[in-house]
Amino acid sequence: MRARGRLALGGGIVLALCVVALLAGRLAPARPGALDLAHEWQGPTAAHPLGTGDDGLDVSTEILYGARVSLLVGLLAVALAGSFGTVLGAVAGYAGGAVDLFVMRLVDVLLAFPGLLFAILLVALLGPSLFGLVFSLSATAWVSYARLARGQVLSLRDRDFVLAARGLGASPARIVFRHLVPNLLGPILIQATFGIPGAILAEAALSFLGLGVPPGTPSWGALVDQGASHLLDAPHVALFGGAAIALAVLGFNLLGEELRDRLDSRSRAGPSAP
Amino acid sequence: MRRRHPLARQAIGALAAALAATLLVSVLLDLVPGDPVELLLGEQAQPIDRAALRKAMWLDLPLPVQAFRFLRGFATGDLRSSVPPFQQRIWPRLREVAPRTALLACVAMLFAVGLGVPLGVFSAVRAGAAIDRLSLAVSVLGVSAPSFLLGQLLLWIFGIRLRWLPVSGDDRMLSALLPALTLGLGLSALLSRVTRAAMLEALRQDYVLAARARGLSEARVIWRHAFRNALLPVLTIAGLQFGSVLTGSIVVEKVFAWPGLGTLLVDSIDKRDFNAVRACVLVFTLTYLAVNLLTDLAYAWADPRARGGGA
């Protein structure tokens, strides 16, 4: 019962997010970046359903268009990190030896950076751009996919189906891509579902620090940054922006947990709350 | 002697990782699209001035040499700012800001463990009851809410509406409370879930059944038998998550205008003060690696099975 609620809630939020991102142009009451200088830092009105920010920027428009940026960055960063990490980890696990050693040392070095630090550094140096943001977020995120894929491959590579493929004369590349990678997609998919909210949060945090999207790009993190200096007279700007982030992250997290419980037998073993 | 071996190897590995990280940062700084010299002097500068600045910023040196000079300066304490006028030593600034971030991170960890662990225990003991569902809902929200939203909410409620706590300011304990709470809440949500899972696992074990059969009180069974065994994975996760608290502090410091290490890092990036950037990254990285090492140590101390790597 509760699990069904989780799927409905998570799926609903994610679906709504996608719809909003696609239809932002039709739903938004104003054009992105349009200013209304007469109504700065105003609470919700009929013309501006979620109020206005600096120079009369319409908050609802920013949030609708911000969904595009968040979703785009989240999906692209996970796609890039997931595919790169999976392939590298699978190759390292199957090849073993020097290749494995090199990849895992690289992983160790990147893991020496705490959390977002490496991404902050990269994105600050690359300058504000969407591509730079996606690249910076994937630059460390691939590590967890690589570790996961390598571990899976290590446990799979001596299984009969791999031996059979090898016996039939399949090339190493064919074994990795046709036989091993499809078999480890389940755990990777779960990881990716949790990776998307992680990337959305990270994008928002970087944009909040002023290091994320180029100035003027609608972004939830940038909206919170803008509202932060007006907490006294216009708290709605920061709060609505932050709520949008929290809601999106919540949706993907719920979906990820649902997916994990369905695909991963280990976490299903325990007696979960009814 | 044999027992110390894996730990020594880990420590050496951590140091090697920190060195490699320093080199990597130097490579990154070198790859910056905008030329820092151009940025500092403008396009009209004379070639001779540019050359002088490049030399003063070590940009004429090969990368490994830059990294080596930085490490030497860092080790001897003579490291100076790499933007004009090149005089300011970096160590005094680090000594000024690092304790503030350390205070923030430690109080945040206290909040995280102090709130998350008991919540997890209670919801495991009352699995399925109202408190369990409530704590689940709270923790899902806590994991999802970005720290800067939590920070703004806390600021708005306690600082602006209720006026209980200072909104921003210096390094007195009182003004550390809100940022530390902000930083700790997300982690406490995660810890409560980990604790709940570990407690449920522990409560299923035979020794719990045995303890109950011997007629021990329920509190004793829970706290002395199940909890002590459930604590291990919880503390490990808490230790490993210290890194996210460290980088989280970069964001939270901005929310609360807290002049710590994260603020210094972001400022130094803005100013292209490469030496200060390298120093901040190195301090963050070393702290993170040291805490990870301590976590492993604590784990080995608490669980004899994990000790020594033998068997």
Side-chain angles (χ1 to χ4, degrees):
Chain A
M1 188 58 211
R2 194 183 59 93
R4 204 175 297 157
R6 191 169 65 180
L7 180 63
L9 188 61
I13 292 174
V14 170
L15 200 66
L17 194 66
C18 296
V19 170
V20 160
L22 283 174
L23 300 181
R26 285 168 181 267
L27 295 171
R31 296 179 60 78
L35 306 177
D36 183 357
L37 293 171
H39 303 103
E40 262 197 319
W41 300 108
Q42 261 192 354
T45 57
H48 304 290
L50 295 180
T52 59
D54 195 25
D55 292 337
L57 200 66
D58 183 59
V59 173
S60 48
T61 305
E62 290 289 298
I63 286 184
L64 290 172
Y65 277 93
R68 280 187 184 176
V69 173
S70 284
L71 213 54
L72 199 67
V73 170
L75 291 176
L76 283 182
V78 166
L80 192 62
S83 46
F84 182 72
T86 306
V87 168
L88 209 60
V91 168
Y94 187 72
V99 179
D100 189 28
L101 197 70
F102 175 74
V103 171
M104 292 325 282
R105 285 297 87 82
L106 194 60
V107 165
D108 283 344
V109 170
L110 285 177
L111 283 177
F113 288 96
L116 257 183
L117 185 62
F118 193 70
I120 288 180
L121 207 63
L122 254 184
V123 84
L125 296 174
L126 288 174
S129 75
L130 272 185
F131 176 75
L133 203 53
V134 169
F135 179 77
S136 307
L137 292 177
S138 354
T140 47
W142 67 267
V143 166
S144 53
Y145 298 94
R147 273 158 57 109
L148 193 61
R150 176 178 175 270
Q152 296 275 321
V153 165
L154 284 183
S155 75
L156 287 176
R157 78 173 168 190
D158 294 323
R159 295 275 193 88
D160 289 342
F161 72 92
V162 178
L163 293 180
R166 204 183 300 158
L168 288 171
S171 66
R174 188 177 166 87
I175 291 175
V176 168
F177 287 104
R178 292 298 296 272
H179 296 274
L180 290 173
V181 168
N183 270 296
L184 45 87
L185 280 184
I188 295 285
L189 195 66
I190 296 172
Q191 175 94 353
T193 318
F194 286 111
I196 294 171
I200 289 179
L201 264 184
E203 182 273 322
L206 289 172
S207 296
F208 172 74
L209 287 174
L211 299 171
V213 295
T217 311
S219 153
W220 294 340
L223 199 61
V224 179
D225 182 25
Q226 188 184 104
S229 49
H230 284 261
L231 267 191
L232 273 174
D233 53 325
H236 63 273
V237 179
L239 295 187
F240 285 142
I245 301 165
L247 202 64
V249 173
L250 178 70
F252 278 107
N253 271 338
L254 290 175
L255 213 56
E257 284 179 14
E258 185 66 28
L259 205 62
R260 184 181 55 195
D261 285 357
R262 289 189 178 206
L263 291 181
D264 184 6
S265 51
R266 259 172 315 170
S267 72
R268 211 188 299 154
S272 59
Chain B
M1 216 40 222
R2 183 102 182 85
R3 271 225 317 245
R4 294 174 57 144
H5 184 223
L7 182 69
R9 212 178 57 189
Q10 262 178 324
I12 292 167
L15 270 182
L19 287 182
T22 306
L23 196 61
L24 194 59
V25 170
S26 290
V27 173
L28 285 179
L29 291 172
D30 190 61
L31 292 175
V32 185
D35 185 354
V37 173
E38 197 115 303
L39 204 80
L40 287 166
L41 291 181
E43 285 176 19
Q44 318 291 324
Q46 298 296 320
I48 189 162
D49 295 332
R50 286 168 187 248
L53 186 58
R54 289 196 82 79
K55 199 166 154 55
M57 289 180 80
W58 303 351
L59 292 173
D60 56 335
L61 300 171
L63 285 176
V65 180
Q66 288 183 29
F68 171 73
R69 283 208 182 183
F70 160 75
L71 285 173
R72 193 180 59 191
F74 189 82
T76 58
D78 193 45
L79 191 67
R80 286 161 201 269
S81 159
S82 54
V83 289
F86 304 106
Q87 293 304 316
Q88 197 175 24
R89 282 172 194 270
I90 289 175
W91 265 106
R93 288 169 76 195
L94 284 180
R95 263 200 296 275
E96 190 188 329
V97 298
R100 298 203 189 110
T101 299
L103 174 73
L104 216 58
C106 291
V107 179
M109 286 304 276
L110 283 181
F111 272 127
V113 175
L115 290 173
V117 171
L119 196 64
V121 172
F122 286 125
S123 49
V125 171
R126 299 250 178 283
I131 182 178
D132 183 31
R133 289 190 206 179
L134 185 71
S135 97
L136 189 74
V138 169
S139 63
V140 169
L141 278 178
V143 171
S144 304
S147 63
F148 44 89
L149 172 66
L150 275 176
Q152 318 259 9
L153 276 175
L154 291 174
L155 253 181
W156 192 61
I157 297 170
F158 291 106
I160 294 172
R161 284 279 136 149
L162 300 172
R163 295 177 184 279
W164 285 356
L165 290 168
V167 170
S168 67
D170 48 23
D171 44 359
R172 281 171 307 158
M173 275 307 280
L174 204 60
S175 50
L177 274 183
L178 278 187
L181 187 63
T182 306
L183 205 50
L185 274 180
L187 182 56
S188 81
L190 178 71
L191 285 184
S192 83
R193 316 240 7 214
V194 174
T195 309
R196 179 181 181 273
M199 275 302 282
L200 282 177
E201 178 73 32
L203 285 170
R204 267 206 307 272
Q205 302 295 320
D206 287 342
Y207 59 77
V208 169
L209 197 64
R212 285 197 176 125
R214 276 184 284 148
L216 299 183
S217 71
E218 190 60 21
R220 201 176 161 85
V221 171
I222 289 167
W223 292 105
R224 289 296 294 271
H225 291 258
F227 179 64
R228 286 182 63 165
N229 281 288
L231 203 55
L232 264 183
V234 176
L235 289 184
T236 309
I237 300 276
L240 292 179
Q241 286 293 320
F242 190 77
S244 67
V245 170
L246 275 182
T247 38
S249 74
I250 301 175
V251 174
V252 171
E253 279 176 14
K254 187 186 169 187
V255 176
F256 292 90
W258 183 264
L261 199 56
T263 309
L264 179 62
L265 174 68
V266 176
D267 283 353
S268 306
I269 290 176
D270 276 349
K271 280 191 267 176
R272 308 272 155 182
D273 187 344
F274 286 1
N275 271 344
V277 172
R278 287 191 189 108
C280 289
V281 172
L282 190 59
V283 171
F284 270 124
T285 307
L286 284 176
T287 316
Y288 173 65
L289 291 170
V291 170
N292 279 359
L293 209 59
L294 282 178
T295 308
D296 284 346
L297 260 183
Y299 195 92
W301 173 75
D303 185 353
R305 281 168 302 181
R307 214 173 283 161

